[in-house]
Amino acid sequence: MLEQLKQQVYAANMALPAHGLVTYTWGNVSGIDRKRGAVVIKPSGVPYAQLQPADMVVVDLAGNVLEGRFRPSSDTPTHLELYRCYLQLGGIVHTHSTHATAWAQAGRAIPALGTTHADYFAGDIPCTRGLTAAEVMGDYELETGRVIVETLDENEPLHTPGVVVYQHGPFSWGRSPDEAVHNAVVLEEVAKMAWISCGINPDLRHLDAHLMEKHFSRKHGPNAYYGQQ
Amino acid sequence: MLEQLKQQVYAANMALPAHGLVTYTWGNVSGIDRKRGAVVIKPSGVPYAQLQPADMVVVDLAGNVLEGRFRPSSDTPTHLELYRCYLQLGGIVHTHSTHATAWAQAGRAIPALGTTHADYFAGDIPCTRGLTAAEVMGDYELETGRVIVETLDENEPLHTPGVVVYQHGPFSWGRSPDEAVHNAVVLEEVAKMAWISCGINPDLRHLDAHLMEKHFSRKHGPNAYYGQQ
Amino acid sequence: MLEQLKQQVYAANMALPAHGLVTYTWGNVSGIDRKRGAVVIKPSGVPYAQLQPADMVVVDLAGNVLEGRFRPSSDTPTHLELYRCYLQLGGIVHTHSTHATAWAQAGRAIPALGTTHADYFAGDIPCTRGLTAAEVMGDYELETGRVIVETLDENEPLHTPGVVVYQHGPFSWGRSPDEAVHNAVVLEEVAKMAWISCGINPDLRHLDAHLMEKHFSRKHGPNAYYGQQ
Amino acid sequence: MLEQLKQQVYAANMALPAHGLVTYTWGNVSGIDRKRGAVVIKPSGVPYAQLQPADMVVVDLAGNVLEGRFRPSSDTPTHLELYRCYLQLGGIVHTHSTHATAWAQAGRAIPALGTTHADYFAGDIPCTRGLTAAEVMGDYELETGRVIVETLDENEPLHTPGVVVYQHGPFSWGRSPDEAVHNAVVLEEVAKMAWISCGINPDLRHLDAHLMEKHFSRKHGPNAYYGQQ
């Protein structure tokens, strides 16, 4: 079942090491078929070099395995919570990419400092609060999804297509698995740039509001004029 | 038309990812045929992996598309403004290369700290002022070109073959598309070196004036003796 | 003798440059056959590009060469001390990987700041004390092993599968040569992340205790649920 | 003439981009045949991708071109001064490698902080004083050689096989062109490590004297026991 989506999710997973975002098995991509309510996700702990499209695991939105000989990623409950809350999402990515994770460990939102950031994110990339001991000892991966939703609050998730989870690492998403990977690459790159900028000028100010609005709307607004349509 | 220039501009565009200067479609190169008043530039938002020489777009200096099935880069008005003001330019590059962009985000000129810098730039690499809200909301890409011209002021552009645009990123140029790419590579490398040098020694002083003059003139002056002619 | 272990140790050694952990000959991996009391280790100073499985040297736990036309790594006495003290070790790695070595030179433990770290190390990655002049001038490589054991103190070595030796560099280990290399890769990556995190937020706090416990036990505890078994 | 040395010097030059030490033509290697008093060096400004062994230029110790269709590197007078002063040198390298150049720009010696450094350099890697305006405006490249000699002072050059020239970049050397490249790679790597170490711990102390002595003599002393002889 879902052969095309499995192929897409497989290709998106393989794009993570190709973009230098993962070491060993530290990342996963999922995609969803909304009509069937079925999510395709990477199996847990299988090395990328051995991964095949047929290894992708299919689960329903409650987490029941529908198909697959492997166990799904241990982060599956986080993905499912986001799919349940945000119907506009088609793909989700989790990595431990170096610079984004460094911001997560620092407990700081990645500030919007330039147009590179504003082309994709309509504001800072938030850092979640820390989970409580009860949340961590309870249904940890589900609580991770919940704290992401709590952090996004009233924000449109496609305008804030990623966050860093406190002391953990980045999650990103998009309308498809491919777009979610694209946003993971952007998140890592703007995390690196922001680190360097803050080192050069510790008194750094945020991106001017009119530049933020211009760049984000140039690509994402109703009058977008970047690209070919 | 302009098949040779299209081939040059195509090759120069492909050199950007080869030198690690662009992620996805975050960069563009143009070249000009001064006799015909025609500028060849990368199409907007087309992935490098799919780009072909025939995809290059030809526009006149007023921005009218003369040939091409794609829309030209959204940064075309910036390129055109520079070609109109500086008749000595043959090629222009824009990227979001990591370290140069970090200086742009920091709102700081890249200081001339060594001979690597002085071999190409006859002084600091300036950072433009921020655009006003009116400029950003108006003809944004044209205003970006204007603020670069304002920043260069009385400087010979071939002696300051690049700037960083405040909170945005680097533009560079040269007598040809190839030379513009070369200067983009240099700009990124000296931006990285300057970041590290300032971290090692926060009280860093500028390059001695005689070293600056010696190195720049050794390569670019009337008595240049570097290289084979 | 020990052809299979030689092949494993050879492959583990070749994985070091493949993962970017070594420059020239600055690293070595060993593995042990506990039944025979025989340790297989890289020869000293032989370039990786020329290395063959048959070049691996076999020594006993007292350091006597049992087989091999080359001299064993000069770090052999360090490896042997660790094998003698910790019967649970099957493989050991030493490198001068950039960021781990930078922490060793800084004389600082690598603080546990995030879940990437906690997935492999049950606490900070300790930095040994400096060796005394007498220890350095005496049986230096043996003393290096002893100070690692002194540093681990009461810790289970498989829960702290690596340390940085003061002003020297990292050692890591595992149940097999492969696992020791895996831990060397992790050690380098968390060293890099910790450096960046501390730069972003100098007032950084340690990873919350419940996150540390959760992530370490998720992979290593009796109820581990990461991966496929 | 000197076909074997040309081949060695060619291969050593090609090793610079292979090790990531040069951008474009920013580096050069030479080698000397002491019997003939002839130095083989890279031609000036020729791209590495086009370089052939036959392109190497042969000069005598006074700088007269003995053979070659190209002009020798503009840095040739620096190399010759070092060959004239230090008869033990067989090869010399100059690069603008990123981290070593950053220390040169910072005007700081690269401090000996660990055993990686001590395995090759018997102390700090010195930074020369700045050249005076008269020196720069005079015989600049010769004066660069002279200030390196002045900086080494009483040090044995094979025990300090490299320096950084103030606001310029690194020079290194060895008994052969290959060894000079090896030392250039080491210089860049220890420069990177030292930068990171100083960022982690600004109150960093120098490597303990006994570790310095032990590691340097382990590889270079009369009782060296590293490697295979």
Side-chain angles (χ1 to χ4, degrees):
Chain A
M1 63 186 290
L2 299 171
E3 296 311 314
Q4 193 178 351
L5 184 57
K6 277 184 197 165
Q7 182 61 47
Q8 283 174 29
V9 170
Y10 165 75
N13 272 289
M14 295 308 287
L16 296 184
H19 279 103
L21 297 187
V22 300
T23 300
Y24 293 116
T25 61
W26 306 351
N28 45 69
V29 187
S30 69
I32 190 167
D33 181 321
R34 288 283 174 188
K35 283 184 192 159
R36 294 182 168 216
V39 170
V40 173
I41 192 163
K42 182 174 173 289
S44 182
V46 175
Y48 283 93
Q50 300 168 19
L51 213 57
Q52 297 297 331
D55 298 339
M56 300 298 112
V57 184
V58 185
V59 299
D60 67 19
L61 277 165
N64 303 299
V65 172
L66 302 182
E67 192 189 81
R69 59 194 175 97
F70 287 117
R71 288 162 63 169
S73 165
S74 55
D75 296 310
T76 301
T78 313
H79 291 238
L80 297 181
E81 177 66 8
L82 296 175
Y83 284 127
R84 286 190 298 258
C85 291
Y86 302 123
L87 300 182
Q88 58 276 62
L89 302 195
I92 297 173
V93 172
H94 172 51
T95 77
H96 290 233
S97 66
T98 310
H99 299 86
T101 302
W103 282 92
Q105 293 187 158
R108 294 270 173 91
I110 303 172
L113 299 176
T115 61
T116 318
H117 185 119
D119 280 336
Y120 295 90
F121 290 82
D124 289 355
I125 298 170
C127 181
T128 70
R129 65 169 172 81
L131 293 178
T132 64
E135 287 168 335
V136 168
M137 293 310 163
D139 203 342
Y140 171 58
E141 290 83 3
L142 173 62
E143 298 293 354
T144 300
R146 283 179 178 154
V147 82
I148 293 172
V149 173
E150 175 189 324
T151 301
L152 283 175
D153 194 25
E154 299 292 309
N155 289 321
E156 161 54 44
L158 291 176
H159 291 187
T160 305
V163 303
V164 291
V165 174
Y166 182 68
Q167 297 186 333
H168 185 32
F171 281 82
S172 64
W173 43 80
R175 279 161 298 197
S176 67
D178 263 7
E179 193 176 285
V181 170
H182 193 111
N183 289 330
V185 172
V186 172
L187 205 165
E188 174 62 11
E189 179 65 15
V190 299
K192 183 174 185 185
M193 287 175 173
W195 164 56
I196 300 170
S197 292
C198 291
I200 292 170
N201 183 356
D203 305 319
L204 205 49
R205 293 181 312 167
H206 270 64
L207 180 65
D208 293 343
H210 43 273
L211 264 182
M212 169 56 86
E213 186 183 329
K214 175 70 179 182
H215 269 263
F216 191 78
S217 66
R218 188 169 87 148
K219 273 201 164 175
H220 303 278
N223 301 311
Y225 60 93
Y226 182 92
Q228 294 301 328
Q229 67 289 336
Chain B
M1 62 186 292
L2 300 170
E3 297 311 314
Q4 193 178 351
L5 184 57
K6 277 184 197 167
Q7 182 61 47
Q8 283 173 29
V9 170
Y10 165 76
N13 271 289
M14 295 309 286
L16 296 184
H19 278 103
L21 297 187
V22 299
T23 300
Y24 293 116
T25 61
W26 306 351
N28 45 70
V29 186
S30 69
I32 189 167
D33 181 320
R34 288 283 175 187
K35 283 186 191 157
R36 294 181 168 217
V39 171
V40 172
I41 193 164
K42 182 172 172 290
S44 182
V46 175
Y48 283 92
Q50 301 169 19
L51 214 57
Q52 298 296 332
D55 299 339
M56 300 297 112
V57 184
V58 185
V59 298
D60 67 19
L61 276 165
N64 303 300
V65 173
L66 302 181
E67 192 190 81
R69 59 196 174 96
F70 288 117
R71 289 161 63 167
S73 165
S74 55
D75 296 310
T76 301
T78 313
H79 291 238
L80 297 181
E81 178 66 8
L82 297 175
Y83 284 126
R84 285 189 299 256
C85 291
Y86 302 123
L87 299 183
Q88 57 276 62
L89 302 195
I92 297 173
V93 171
H94 172 51
T95 77
H96 288 234
S97 66
T98 310
H99 299 86
T101 301
W103 282 92
Q105 293 187 157
R108 294 269 173 91
I110 303 171
L113 299 177
T115 61
T116 318
H117 185 119
D119 280 336
Y120 296 90
F121 290 83
D124 289 356
I125 298 170
C127 181
T128 70
R129 66 169 171 81
L131 293 178
T132 65
E135 288 168 334
V136 169
M137 293 310 162
D139 204 343
Y140 171 58
E141 288 84 3
L142 174 62
E143 298 293 355
T144 300
R146 284 180 177 154
V147 82
I148 293 172
V149 173
E150 176 190 324
T151 302
L152 283 175
D153 195 25
E154 299 292 308
N155 290 320
E156 161 54 44
L158 291 176
H159 291 188
T160 306
V163 302
V164 291
V165 175
Y166 182 68
Q167 296 186 332
H168 185 31
F171 280 81
S172 63
W173 43 79
R175 279 161 298 197
S176 67
D178 263 8
E179 192 176 285
V181 169
H182 194 112
N183 289 329
V185 171
V186 172
L187 205 165
E188 173 62 9
E189 180 65 14
V190 299
K192 184 175 184 184
M193 287 176 173
W195 164 57
I196 299 170
S197 292
C198 291
I200 292 170
N201 183 356
D203 304 320
L204 205 50
R205 293 182 311 168
H206 271 64
L207 180 64
D208 292 344
H210 44 273
L211 263 182
M212 168 57 85
E213 187 183 329
K214 175 69 180 181
H215 269 263
F216 191 78
S217 65
R218 187 169 86 149
K219 273 202 164 174
H220 304 278
N223 301 312
Y225 59 94
Y226 182 93
Q228 294 300 328
Q229 68 292 332
Chain C
M1 64 186 288
L2 300 171
E3 298 310 314
Q4 193 177 352
L5 184 59
K6 278 184 197 166
Q7 182 61 47
Q8 282 173 29
V9 170
Y10 165 75
N13 271 290
M14 296 308 286
L16 296 184
H19 278 104
L21 297 188
V22 298
T23 299
Y24 293 115
T25 60
W26 305 352
N28 46 69
V29 187
S30 68
I32 190 167
D33 181 319
R34 288 281 174 189
K35 284 184 192 159
R36 296 181 167 218
V39 171
V40 172
I41 192 164
K42 183 173 172 288
S44 182
V46 175
Y48 284 92
Q50 299 167 21
L51 214 58
Q52 298 297 331
D55 298 339
M56 300 298 111
V57 184
V58 185
V59 298
D60 66 20
L61 277 165
N64 303 299
V65 173
L66 302 182
E67 191 190 82
R69 57 194 176 97
F70 288 118
R71 289 161 62 169
S73 166
S74 54
D75 296 310
T76 301
T78 314
H79 291 238
L80 297 181
E81 176 67 8
L82 296 175
Y83 284 126
R84 286 189 298 258
C85 292
Y86 303 122
L87 300 183
Q88 58 275 63
L89 302 194
I92 297 173
V93 171
H94 172 51
T95 77
H96 290 233
S97 67
T98 310
H99 298 86
T101 302
W103 282 92
Q105 294 187 158
R108 294 270 172 89
I110 304 172
L113 299 176
T115 61
T116 318
H117 185 119
D119 280 338
Y120 295 90
F121 290 83
D124 289 355
I125 298 170
C127 181
T128 70
R129 65 168 172 81
L131 293 177
T132 65
E135 288 168 334
V136 168
M137 293 311 162
D139 204 342
Y140 171 57
E141 289 83 4
L142 173 62
E143 298 292 355
T144 300
R146 284 180 177 153
V147 81
I148 293 172
V149 173
E150 175 189 324
T151 302
L152 282 175
D153 195 26
E154 298 293 307
N155 289 320
E156 160 55 44
L158 292 175
H159 291 188
T160 306
V163 303
V164 292
V165 174
Y166 182 67
Q167 296 186 334
H168 185 31
F171 280 82
S172 64
W173 43 79
R175 279 162 296 196
S176 67
D178 263 8
E179 192 176 285
V181 170
H182 194 112
N183 289 330
V185 171
V186 172
L187 205 166
E188 173 63 10
E189 180 64 15
V190 299
K192 183 174 185 186
M193 286 175 173
W195 164 56
I196 300 171
S197 292
C198 292
I200 292 170
N201 184 356
D203 305 318
L204 206 47
R205 294 182 310 168
H206 271 64
L207 181 63
D208 293 343
H210 43 274
L211 264 181
M212 169 57 85
E213 186 183 330
K214 174 70 180 181
H215 269 264
F216 191 77
S217 66
R218 187 170 86 148
K219 273 201 162 174
H220 304 278
N223 300 312
Y225 60 92
Y226 181 93
Q228 294 302 327
Q229 67 290 339
Chain D
M1 62 187 290
L2 299 171
E3 297 311 313
Q4 193 178 352
L5 184 58
K6 277 185 197 165
Q7 182 61 46
Q8 283 173 30
V9 171
Y10 165 75
N13 272 289
M14 295 309 286
L16 297 183
H19 278 104
L21 297 187
V22 299
T23 300
Y24 292 116
T25 61
W26 305 353
N28 46 69
V29 186
S30 69
I32 190 166
D33 181 320
R34 288 282 175 189
K35 285 185 193 160
R36 297 184 168 214
V39 171
V40 173
I41 192 164
K42 182 172 173 287
S44 182
V46 175
Y48 284 92
Q50 300 168 20
L51 214 58
Q52 297 296 333
D55 298 340
M56 300 299 111
V57 184
V58 185
V59 299
D60 67 20
L61 277 165
N64 303 300
V65 172
L66 303 181
E67 191 189 82
R69 57 194 175 97
F70 288 117
R71 289 161 63 167
S73 166
S74 54
D75 295 310
T76 301
T78 314
H79 291 238
L80 297 181
E81 177 66 8
L82 297 175
Y83 285 127
R84 286 189 299 257
C85 292
Y86 302 123
L87 300 182
Q88 57 276 62
L89 303 195
I92 297 174
V93 172
H94 171 51
T95 77
H96 290 234
S97 66
T98 309
H99 298 86
T101 301
W103 282 91
Q105 294 187 158
R108 295 269 172 90
I110 303 171
L113 300 176
T115 61
T116 317
H117 185 119
D119 279 337
Y120 295 90
F121 290 84
D124 289 355
I125 298 171
C127 181
T128 71
R129 66 168 171 81
L131 293 177
T132 65
E135 288 168 333
V136 169
M137 293 311 163
D139 204 343
Y140 171 57
E141 289 83 4
L142 174 62
E143 298 293 354
T144 300
R146 285 179 178 156
V147 82
I148 293 172
V149 173
E150 176 189 324
T151 302
L152 283 175
D153 195 26
E154 299 292 308
N155 289 321
E156 160 55 44
L158 291 176
H159 291 187
T160 306
V163 302
V164 292
V165 175
Y166 182 67
Q167 296 186 335
H168 185 31
F171 280 81
S172 63
W173 43 79
R175 280 161 296 196
S176 67
D178 264 8
E179 192 176 285
V181 170
H182 194 112
N183 289 330
V185 171
V186 172
L187 206 165
E188 173 63 10
E189 180 64 14
V190 299
K192 183 174 184 184
M193 286 176 173
W195 163 57
I196 299 170
S197 292
C198 291
I200 292 170
N201 183 356
D203 304 319
L204 205 48
R205 294 182 311 168
H206 271 64
L207 181 63
D208 293 344
H210 44 274
L211 264 181
M212 167 59 85
E213 187 184 330
K214 174 70 180 179
H215 269 264
F216 191 77
S217 66
R218 188 169 86 148
K219 273 201 163 174
H220 304 278
N223 300 312
Y225 60 93
Y226 182 93
Q228 293 301 327
Q229 66 290 338

